[in-house]
Structures are given as C-alpha cells and as structure tokens.
Amino acid sequence: MSKEVIAVLLLALGGFLAGGVYSTWKTAKVLAVVLGVAALLAIGGAIAWLVS
C-alpha cells in the first residue's frame, strides 16, 4: 500500500468517527467524547503519515 492510500483510509476513519460524535452527542455525551478523541487521533495520524 502506498503512503497516500493509508492516509486516505485514516482520514475516512476519522470522518466516520466524527459522524458518530454528531449522532451520539444528544444521547451519550461520554461516548461522543471518546469517539471525538479517536477521530482526532485518526486525523492526526493521517496528517503525520503524509508529512513523514
């Protein structure tokens, strides 16, 4: 797999998790925060992967 493919997959995962944050915010705030942290880690990992 090329470097860009992995970064795109991490960005897609981050977007998926961010959608989970949006959908769970009203009912389960703790879960939404956990999903938000995971989304930020995935997006940060994608950026770090592209930069390195």
Side-chain angles (χ1 to χ4, degrees):
M1 283 183 140
S2 71
K3 192 172 167 181
E4 291 81 16
V5 172
I6 294 173
V8 168
L9 290 174
L10 281 172
L11 283 173
L13 177 63
F16 180 74
L17 291 170
V21 170
Y22 180 78
S23 67
T24 60
W25 183 252
K26 286 188 176 182
T27 57
K29 291 202 185 325
V30 174
L31 179 60
V33 170
V34 171
L35 288 174
V37 169
L40 289 176
L41 284 173
I43 293 170
I47 292 170
W49 196 278
L50 282 174
V51 170
S52 67

